[in-house]
């Protein structure tokens, strides 16, 4: 029984450490190239008081590339649009350059 608990504990710790190595937390930025160049800033979201679990896994899947996000979805209040919609709690989608970068 003790062996099983130790194995379970090691598995959980390994999972947490592996997941955090892929996270886009404070100080990190990830750039998405599909369908346009979009930058997600972990710093900007952390400064706004957000934590990873505010959006994951309820709004976004935990797997890189697990969500196919379109502007139509965002404008409909899905994915980023959960907060970033016109009249939402964060800036809306009218200023494209806030997220979309030129190559």
């Amino acid at each position: 029984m003790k062996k099983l608990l130790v194995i379970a504990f090691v598995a959980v710790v390994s999972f947490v450490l592996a997941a955090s190595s892929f996270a886009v937390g404070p100080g990190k930025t990830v750039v998405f190239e599909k369908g346009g160049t979009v930058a997600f800033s972990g710093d900007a979201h952390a400064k706004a008081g957000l934590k990873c679990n505010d959006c994951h896994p309820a709004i976004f899947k935990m797997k890189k590339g697990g969500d196919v996000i379109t502007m139509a979805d965002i404008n409909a209040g899905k994915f980023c649009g959960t907060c970033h919609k016109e009249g939402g709690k964060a800036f809306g989608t009218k200023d494209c350059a806030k997220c979309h970068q030129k190559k």
Side-chain angles (χ1 to χ4, degrees):
M1 184 66 172
K2 258 188 177 178
K3 252 186 193 177
L4 184 59
L5 287 174
V6 169
I7 291 170
F9 177 76
V10 169
V12 168
V13 169
S14 297
F15 175 77
V16 168
L17 290 175
S20 67
S21 68
F22 295 108
V24 184
K28 295 182 181 179
T29 298
V30 67
V31 176
F32 300 94
E33 297 288 343
K34 251 184 182 172
T37 304
V38 176
F40 172 87
S41 168
D43 263 350
H45 289 83
K47 286 177 184 172
L50 296 172
K51 294 182 175 36
C52 300
N53 64 358
D54 290 332
C55 299
H56 296 280
I59 299 171
F60 298 98
K61 293 178 183 172
M62 293 296 289
K63 183 178 179 186
K64 183 178 179 180
D67 294 304
V68 177
I69 303 169
T70 66
M71 284 306 301
D73 288 333
I74 293 171
N75 290 328
K78 298 175 185 173
F79 301 115
C80 306
T82 303
C83 298
H84 294 282
K85 58 186 170 202
E86 299 308 318
K89 62 182 174 180
F91 64 84
T93 58
K94 290 186 182 198
D95 186 359
C96 303
K98 282 195 174 191
C99 300
H100 292 271
Q101 302 175 340
K102 292 185 179 184
K103 287 187 177 185

